Amino acid sequence: MTVTDVTRESVSSALEQGQGHLVVSHLNPPPSYDLDDHPVPTGREEIWRFTPLKRLRGILDGEASDAHLTWETTLPAGVTLREVGADEAVALGELAPNDRPSALAAANAGGAMLLDVPADAVVAEPVVLHLHGESVDDLVWGRLIIRVGTHADVTVVLNHTGSARYSAITTVVVGDGARANVLTLQDWDDDAVHLGRDAIRVGRDASVKHTSISFGGDVVRMHANVEYAGPGGEAELLGLYFADEGQHLEHRLFADHNAPKTKSHVLYKGALQGQGAHTVWIGNVLIRKVAEGIETYEENRNLVLTDGCQADSVPNLEIETGEIEGAGHASATARFDDEQLFYLRSRGVSEKEAQRLVVHGFFNDLIRKVGIPSIEDRLLETVETELAKNVLKELA
Amino acid sequence: MSTLEIKDLQVSVDTEDGPKQILKGVTLTIKDGETHAIMGPNGSGKSTLAYSIAGHPKYTVTGGTVTLDGEDVLAMSVDERARAGLFLAMQYPVEVPGVSVSNFLRTAKTALDGEAPKLRTWVKDVNAALKNLDLDPTFGTRSVNEGFSGGEKKRHEIAQLELLNPKVAILDETDSGLDIDALKVVSEGVNRFRAQEGKGVLLITHYTRILRYIQPDHVHVFVAGRVAESGGPALAEELEANGYERFLTATV
């Protein structure tokens, strides 16, 4: 197991290397709607080097397409969902695309869906959007804006099922003092390709939780970006993924501390099983000069259950001020801990059952932070189902 | 009835300089209902004896036999040994994040009995066991050993001993790091266990302090990977007065 921790000491040493003039993160290309700013990648670019471009099934070519996912939802009183034009999307504060698939989605989606939660609305039940695709032959461009009004409190779940070649740009604009809990669940069929960019603008003193869960799909590559509209905003970015044989699941995080006294806390946990299972986690944090008194911590843990898997995990920290409360990261990729298994087995629990308990515990630790009870139960069940494929096979 | 019989047990561990022999022929029989104390200085191989009997993968048995009621313990996997009736209370219990104590206890009980315990009596039993060890009822919702104090870890081990109720309990330095109140609570738990018919206890300790609360039938002095001398409780009193000096010089 390798564990890296960055403490304030290394923060100040990074500063001494003279990075103080940086304005734009070198790890994150500047956002832009202009497709010329996002050329077709070769695979050697920093932001593309882990992604199997050939398996994206031509999404990057950017063909126009009328295909859609079917949307199903029940909206609570006060919450609306409607289509808006591209100009209105920008005017609403959409966060511009930061890679080619999201730029293509903005260009090709022909308008955006707006989920609107008015100011001061406290919505008790989660707003669940079921997005279903019929076939991987369908190329679908998606564009969604979730607007959470000032002091509103809402939970939104995006549940992706079926199959498609789907590229989507999603923006969550969270008003001052609001609370938003957004969860995106990638529960696709085996052949789906999903490139998603979620970006969140956290209002002053607002608090946001964003959870990305990836189980299904052939290739899933999700961005979760966060920036701040003012001081005092807090963001908790969670993720859970379970890669099976041949699956590529990639999660890219970017916390852009562009305002003082803001917080970001990132925790992603993944498990891998089967030949060719590949996961990628990139955790980028930028602490800008203005961002004094901020606090950030990012953590990624991977559990490798069988031979033949690969987990890439890269935490990055770019720092332009040392006047902060704290900054750190940890990344660990490991197989089962022999001591944990020995302890459980010494109480009579079989090896397979002990492994099941350890994985269950590994994810349970994260699942209980999600804060959406109906989803939490379902996630625990899905983890058990995934485990049944390998770890528990011999128990049946 | 339960008899744990250890004969000429030899055990080595892998080190950077190749295998190193730790146990050099240990012979010991714990008969029905007996409590044996193994006392020895640090590095004498006491913990190796405990972990070898439990089947920790780090240790390689190079010779000798261990049987429980005639069954070959060394041929069993770690969990088979537990199901055969062995229990090891560890000196350093392991954290299992995200797995609650109550889930862990129920899973273990189910594995040992071959069926899930009856819910109503089980909840009552768990609460009673926790209470007996002076553990808060909310303890069951905490992750196994995660964030436990040293004393909580040891009391949790003994709560498991009482709930899982094995034939033979091996207690590896259960007394180390406990204040006097916790030591009493833990000792009472062990005494309740061994008050039952036919239970064997192998109590491994560095100090004589715990023997004031758990009276052994036999005391063995363990030095350099073997039993240097065996006797009754009086041997512990001698160690209390004179320490291990006499045994250490004898082996040089």
Side-chain angles (χ1 to χ4, degrees):
Chain A
M1 182 178 287
T2 48
V3 177
T4 9
D5 277 294
V6 170
T7 60
R8 286 199 62 169
E9 283 170 53
S10 51
V11 168
S12 42
S13 68
L15 276 175
E16 281 157 20
Q17 287 162 19
Q19 297 178 353
H21 63 283
L22 272 181
V23 178
V24 172
S25 162
H26 76 278
L27 298 164
N28 299 276
S32 161
Y33 285 97
D34 189 347
L35 280 171
D36 291 341
D37 292 333
H38 306 287
V40 178
T42 64
R44 287 187 297 272
E45 297 80 1
E46 176 59 33
I47 65 164
W48 286 105
R49 64 192 178 102
F50 293 106
T51 314
L53 297 179
K54 286 190 181 136
R55 284 163 61 192
L56 301 185
R57 295 181 183 241
I59 293 180
L60 296 175
D61 298 339
E63 277 174 43
S65 168
D66 292 337
H68 284 87
L69 303 179
T70 51
W71 287 49
E72 265 184 46
T73 185
T74 312
L75 295 173
V79 177
T80 60
L81 181 66
R82 64 185 165 97
E83 213 169 327
V84 296
D87 291 344
E88 192 178 347
V90 175
L92 283 165
E94 181 181 61
L95 295 167
N98 57 293
D99 67 355
R100 184 170 176 84
S102 49
L104 287 169
N108 293 339
M113 296 301 288
L114 170 66
L115 181 74
D116 210 359
V117 182
D120 299 315
V122 175
V123 184
E125 286 300 306
V127 180
V128 183
L129 303 175
H130 294 279
L131 281 64
H132 185 79
E134 289 304 326
S135 162
V136 76
D137 295 334
D138 293 340
L139 175 63
V140 181
W141 303 108
R143 188 173 186 181
L144 170 66
I145 295 171
I146 300 170
R147 179 167 66 175
V148 181
T150 313
H151 296 295
D153 186 341
V154 70
T155 295
V156 178
V157 175
L158 295 165
N159 184 23
H160 302 90
T161 57
S163 190
R165 286 175 292 156
Y166 183 50
S167 176
I169 177 167
T170 302
T171 300
V172 186
V173 182
V174 182
D176 293 350
R179 291 169 57 92
N181 187 352
V182 177
L183 181 141
T184 171
L185 175 58
Q186 289 70 248
D187 199 8
W188 297 105
D189 292 347
D190 289 347
D191 57 357
V193 179
H194 184 183
L195 308 178
R197 196 240 40 195
D198 290 3
I200 305 159
R201 191 164 165 84
V202 184
R204 185 186 181 105
D205 299 323
S207 95
V208 175
K209 187 179 287 193
H210 178 277
T211 306
S212 184
I213 314 262
S214 301
F215 288 121
D218 179 53
V219 177
V220 171
R221 176 180 141 120
M222 305 296 290
H223 289 270
N225 300 344
V226 60
E227 60 179 67
Y228 303 84
E234 295 183 11
E236 184 175 18
L237 305 175
L238 303 173
L240 186 166
Y241 45 89
F242 208 127
D244 291 335
E245 188 173 348
Q247 262 189 314
H248 177 93
L249 302 179
E250 179 168 345
H251 293 89
R252 309 182 69 88
L253 285 297
F254 180 35
D256 185 348
H257 282 276
N258 56 346
K261 295 203 184 304
T262 50
K263 286 184 189 169
S264 66
H265 195 126
V266 176
L267 175 61
Y268 269 63
K269 286 188 161 190
L272 301 88
Q273 60 182 1
Q275 196 63 37
H278 187 198
T279 65
V280 178
W281 180 85
I282 309 292
N284 292 337
V285 174
L286 171 61
I287 303 170
R288 293 182 189 265
K289 189 105 192 144
V290 65
E292 294 190 355
I294 67 102
E295 224 181 288
T296 176
Y297 191 77
E298 47 173 2
E299 181 176 350
N300 174 229
R301 305 215 171 259
N302 296 296
L303 195 52
V304 179
L305 302 177
T306 70
D307 290 333
C309 309
Q310 187 181 339
D312 288 299
S313 178
V314 187
N316 293 305
L317 197 48
E318 294 177 271
I319 299 155
E320 294 169 6
T321 177
E323 299 299 316
I324 58 172
E325 283 296 314
H329 59 218
S331 164
T333 298
R335 288 176 173 270
F336 280 114
D337 183 317
D338 285 343
E339 296 299 327
Q340 282 182 350
L341 294 183
F342 174 74
Y343 186 74
L344 296 169
R345 293 181 69 194
S346 76
R347 272 48 177 156
V349 178
S350 72
E351 182 174 17
K352 292 285 166 189
E353 183 70 9
Q355 291 179 340
R356 191 192 67 81
L357 261 189
V358 168
V359 178
H360 170 91
F362 176 76
F363 283 125
N364 191 30
D365 235 14
L366 183 126
I367 289 171
R368 60 190 178 189
K369 294 186 203 291
V370 166
I372 312 172
S374 57
I375 295 284
E376 290 175 16
D377 292 347
R378 197 174 138 204
L379 291 179
L380 282 172
E381 276 171 37
T382 311
V383 165
E384 297 288 327
T385 313
E386 287 288 335
L387 283 173
K389 290 180 188 166
N390 258 293
V391 171
L392 287 186
K393 208 155 52 183
E394 293 153 47
L395 269 186
Chain B
M1 106 108 208
S2 54
T3 301
L4 181 69
E5 198 166 3
I6 304 161
K7 271 191 197 158
D8 194 29
L9 185 65
Q10 295 160 46
V11 171
S12 68
V13 289
D14 284 332
T15 69
E16 283 173 12
D17 309 322
K20 182 179 181 223
Q21 194 173 16
I22 309 281
L23 299 188
K24 297 165 181 168
V26 178
T27 298
L28 194 62
T29 301
I30 299 166
K31 290 193 195 126
D32 217 21
E34 288 181 350
T35 296
H36 290 236
I38 290 196
M39 306 198 55
N42 289 329
S44 58
K46 305 187 299 290
S47 285
T48 299
L49 177 64
Y51 279 84
S52 303
I53 297 169
H56 194 286
K58 185 177 148 191
Y59 301 99
T60 310
V61 174
T62 55
T65 59
V66 178
T67 58
L68 180 63
D69 297 337
E71 300 283 327
D72 182 1
V73 169
L74 298 179
M76 299 177 196
S77 69
V78 175
D79 42 294
E80 282 168 348
R81 294 176 197 207
R83 293 198 294 273
L86 286 173
F87 178 90
L88 170 62
M90 297 190 198
Q91 185 180 1
Y92 302 109
V94 182
E95 292 182 6
V96 191
V99 176
S100 69
V101 166
S102 55
N103 184 7
F104 163 63
L105 293 174
R106 192 177 58 247
T107 306
K109 185 69 175 171
T110 304
L112 290 170
D113 292 358
E115 59 176 359
K118 296 269 181 295
L119 196 61
R120 186 185 291 180
T121 49
W122 175 245
V123 171
K124 220 171 69 187
D125 290 349
V126 170
N127 287 341
L130 295 179
K131 190 161 181 264
N132 278 337
L133 273 302
D134 226 353
L135 292 165
D136 192 90
T138 60
F139 196 77
T141 63
R142 293 173 65 182
S143 290
V144 172
N145 292 316
E146 196 181 41
F148 289 13
S149 70
E152 282 174 335
K153 282 182 181 170
K154 298 300 177 68
R155 284 183 277 152
H156 177 225
E157 293 292 286
I158 300 308
Q160 292 173 52
L161 169 68
E162 290 202 75
L163 277 167
L164 304 179
N165 204 16
K167 290 179 179 172
V168 176
I170 302 164
L171 310 177
D172 185 21
E173 306 217 11
T174 297
D175 53 330
S176 67
L178 291 183
D179 62 36
I180 195 70
D181 292 329
L183 181 66
K184 281 181 187 167
V185 168
V186 159
S187 300
E188 283 162 12
V190 174
N191 286 333
R192 279 191 299 272
F193 166 74
R194 68 194 193 115
Q196 302 171 94
E197 179 102 18
K199 303 289 184 185
V201 174
L202 182 61
L203 181 89
I204 293 172
T205 180
H206 183 81
Y207 306 101
T208 52
R209 188 177 63 148
I210 193 171
L211 304 182
R212 284 178 226 147
Y213 304 99
I214 304 172
Q215 265 89 36
D217 303 299
H218 302 272
V219 175
H220 311 274
V221 182
F222 208 72
V223 178
R226 54 166 68 93
V227 175
E229 190 167 320
S230 297
L235 184 53
E237 282 158 32
E238 191 208 320
L239 288 171
E240 168 97 45
N242 305 325
Y244 293 111
E245 209 55 35
R246 168 164 81 83
F247 304 98
L248 290 173
T249 46
T251 57
V252 171

